[in-house]
Amino acid sequence: MVQPDEHAPARENDPGDLLSTLEVIEAQPLSTRAGAYDALHDTLARRLETAPVDSATS
């Protein structure tokens, strides 16, 4: 199973990278997609939790 690359800081904010990751997941057999989507969810949740907070919007 191909997992999203959570150790690629140079591409972290690249929307094309997310699209590429989704395309890779969708190309996998149905039986392995759930695990890949779960890993992607965990990666994105960690990024949100560690993102700097803008004091003007909080």
Side-chain angles (χ1 to χ4, degrees):
M1 171 171 50
V2 177
Q3 302 261 337
D5 183 7
E6 54 192 64
H7 302 291
R11 301 179 311 178
E12 217 171 70
N13 297 321
D14 181 7
D17 187 45
L18 177 58
L19 183 57
S20 297
T21 300
L22 292 171
E23 289 172 345
V24 168
I25 292 172
E26 283 297 312
Q28 295 179 25
L30 185 58
S31 61
T32 61
R33 286 186 207 165
Y37 277 122
D38 189 43
L40 177 60
H41 173 269
D42 291 344
T43 299
L44 294 174
R46 272 193 305 281
R47 285 184 190 173
L48 283 173
E49 290 170 359
T50 60
V53 176
D54 184 1
S55 60
T57 61
S58 53

